[in-house]
Amino acid sequence: MKTEIYSLLDENAGRAIEKAAEYICAGELVGIPTETVYGLAGSALFAEAAGKIYAAKGRPGDNPLIVHVAEPADAENIAHTTPLYYALAEKYMPGPLTIILSKKDVIPDTVSGGLQTVAIRCPAHPAARELIRVSGHPIAAPSANSSGKPSPTTAAHVYEDLQGKIPLILDGGPCSIGVESTVIALEPDDNGCVILRPGAVTEDMLAAVCGSVRVAEAVTDPGKAGDKPQSPGMKYKHYSPRCQVILIKAPDAAAYAAYVKAHGTGHYGVLAAEEESAQFSTGTVLSLGRADDEAEHARRLFALLRQADQRGYETLYARLPADHGIALAYYNRIIRAAGGEIVEI
Ligand code: TXA
Ligand code: MG
């Protein structure tokens, strides 16, 4: 199959979305931009489209898909909503928040990975919402990477992983957030929520609406996921470039640089902040942006993991970030990329 790329950044954007909608209605898949990462979109109403998504990604069938809706209230058609769902939606939807609800029968078991729940997200990206509206289908869309690889934040990343497997990719330019949505489950009787995957809607932002917010242990410790975690995605190896990622817990940038200098051998790269790069006299620094701009670090991470492979590094050094705010999203991805290991110095 030939994979075409249509731009959403010129006057043909409307036509591109119509073409994508035709594919969705016909049970085919399309790579689409969202504000978080690119998604591999198919109709959430067709079991067959979900089957194609799992096959194209090489994804295990028990890892459920997120269903995207154009308006928070559209969740009514596919799930059992609660007052807390609407309170959160009021504040953070459309946006990078995914809420797990109990599902209605229209959602095939293949979409929900056999679970009785469904993950609902109303994306903020205008083209993603327009595609849902024009197609008239809720859209199942995991990140549009090959399973296990870093998530795609540009159309070129999607092409790299899925060329020949899908007919169309919509190119909306680089994603503005760059890490996937925050995934939460609501506690029984709407008594707060639990973060299963951290993202740009942070613990503090959720607490402002929910009162009590828990962060699942597996978020910072992949070893705690177990065989039947609350979110199946927790147990899979994720976000891994081919090179080995070595994650360092260092008290400051100088200690991190000294460790890399003492241990770095062969062809290796270093993830570090812009103003810290001069401290690394060996290895090549892949800049995360300014040290105090944690949202920028998260935005760049996946593209830098891919760049590390393009440059053929054997090893990529990274430093463990803070474990709150948007930094928790970076923490969660980098610890998985490092296979769960932390080197403490
Ligand atoms: O930002 C995002 O959420 C992107 C864009 C494309 O919207 N999508 C995305 O989907 O990251 P995916 O499939 O790569 O990640 C979905 C995560 C997985 O870890 C999955 O296990 C979890 O959400 N999940 C989905 N449905 C669930 C459910 N019913 N219960 C628990 N976890 C669920
Ligand atoms: Mg994913």
Side-chain angles (χ1 to χ4, degrees):
M1 180 186 298
K2 185 174 180 300
T3 303
E4 291 190 288
I5 302 181
Y6 286 5
S7 176
L8 293 168
L9 305 174
D10 60 26
E11 69 284 358
N12 297 320
R15 178 68 201 115
I17 288 177
E18 275 171 28
K19 184 75 190 161
E22 284 169 22
Y23 278 125
I24 297 292
C25 295
E28 296 297 335
L29 309 184
V30 181
I32 63 164
T34 81
E35 74 280 22
T36 56
V37 300
Y38 275 72
L40 176 58
S43 171
L45 303 177
F46 299 154
E48 171 212 339
K52 287 183 185 170
I53 290 176
Y54 290 106
K57 277 179 67 81
R59 177 175 177 132
D62 69 345
N63 193 4
L65 308 174
I66 293 176
V67 177
H68 298 68
V69 293
E71 298 295 334
D74 293 344
E76 294 298 337
N77 303 325
I78 52 185
H80 300 280
T81 61
T82 72
L84 184 54
Y85 167 80
Y86 278 108
L88 288 162
E90 171 79 16
K91 215 140 178 178
Y92 303 122
M93 289 185 189
L97 177 64
T98 297
I99 303 181
I100 295 173
L101 296 173
S102 98
K103 83 172 187 77
K104 291 188 175 168
D105 288 343
V106 284
I107 297 297
D109 285 346
T110 15
V111 169
S112 64
L115 299 175
Q116 288 315 303
T117 52
V118 61
I120 305 279
R121 159 156 147 75
C122 177
H125 198 291
R129 290 176 81 199
E130 187 62 9
L131 176 60
I132 301 167
R133 276 192 219 102
V134 173
S135 68
H137 286 239
I139 284 182
S143 48
N145 51 302
S146 296
S147 194
K149 288 281 156 211
S151 293
T153 54
T154 65
H157 296 159
V158 181
Y159 190 77
E160 211 170 272
D161 283 15
L162 299 176
Q163 69 185 104
K165 296 184 174 170
I166 57 174
L168 178 63
I169 299 168
L170 298 181
D171 183 355
C175 299
S176 60
I177 293 175
V179 279
E180 306 91 336
S181 61
T182 305
V183 177
I184 63 169
L186 306 182
E187 301 280 19
D189 303 319
D190 275 356
N191 262 320
C193 72
V194 48
I195 297 179
L196 304 176
R197 182 179 71 181
V201 173
T202 63
E203 194 178 346
D204 287 351
M205 290 163 72
L206 292 167
V209 179
C210 285
S212 127
V213 180
R214 250 177 351 105
V215 179
E217 268 189 317
V219 162
T220 50
D221 185 353
K224 293 269 167 64
D227 284 346
K228 269 202 166 294
Q230 205 170 354
S231 183
M234 286 172 163
K235 71 176 186 234
Y236 294 109
K237 193 167 175 336
H238 254 110
Y239 315 117
S240 307
R242 277 188 300 276
C243 62
Q244 188 189 8
V245 176
I246 298 185
L247 182 57
I248 318 286
K249 184 173 181 182
D252 52 39
Y256 174 40
Y259 182 92
V260 171
K261 188 168 184 188
H263 293 83
T265 53
H267 190 38
Y268 66 89
V270 182
L271 292 177
E274 196 86 57
E275 57 269 54
E276 292 161 6
S277 62
Q279 301 189 41
F280 295 87
S281 50
T282 56
T284 308
V285 171
L286 301 180
S287 173
L288 290 164
R290 290 194 51 82
D292 60 1
D293 190 350
E294 291 172 335
E296 184 65 20
H297 304 180
R299 188 175 300 125
R300 292 189 190 189
L301 175 64
F302 288 140
L304 293 178
L305 293 179
R306 282 178 183 258
Q307 216 178 85
D309 277 343
Q310 263 158 13
R311 294 185 176 186
Y313 295 143
E314 293 148 49
T315 315
L316 178 68
Y317 288 93
R319 185 174 162 204
L320 195 70
D323 61 358
H324 47 77
I326 181 73
L328 182 62
Y330 183 101
Y331 189 122
N332 171 260
R333 277 48 168 204
I334 197 73
I335 195 170
R336 279 166 171 72
E341 303 279 335
I342 298 173
V343 179
E344 236 177 287
I345 57 171

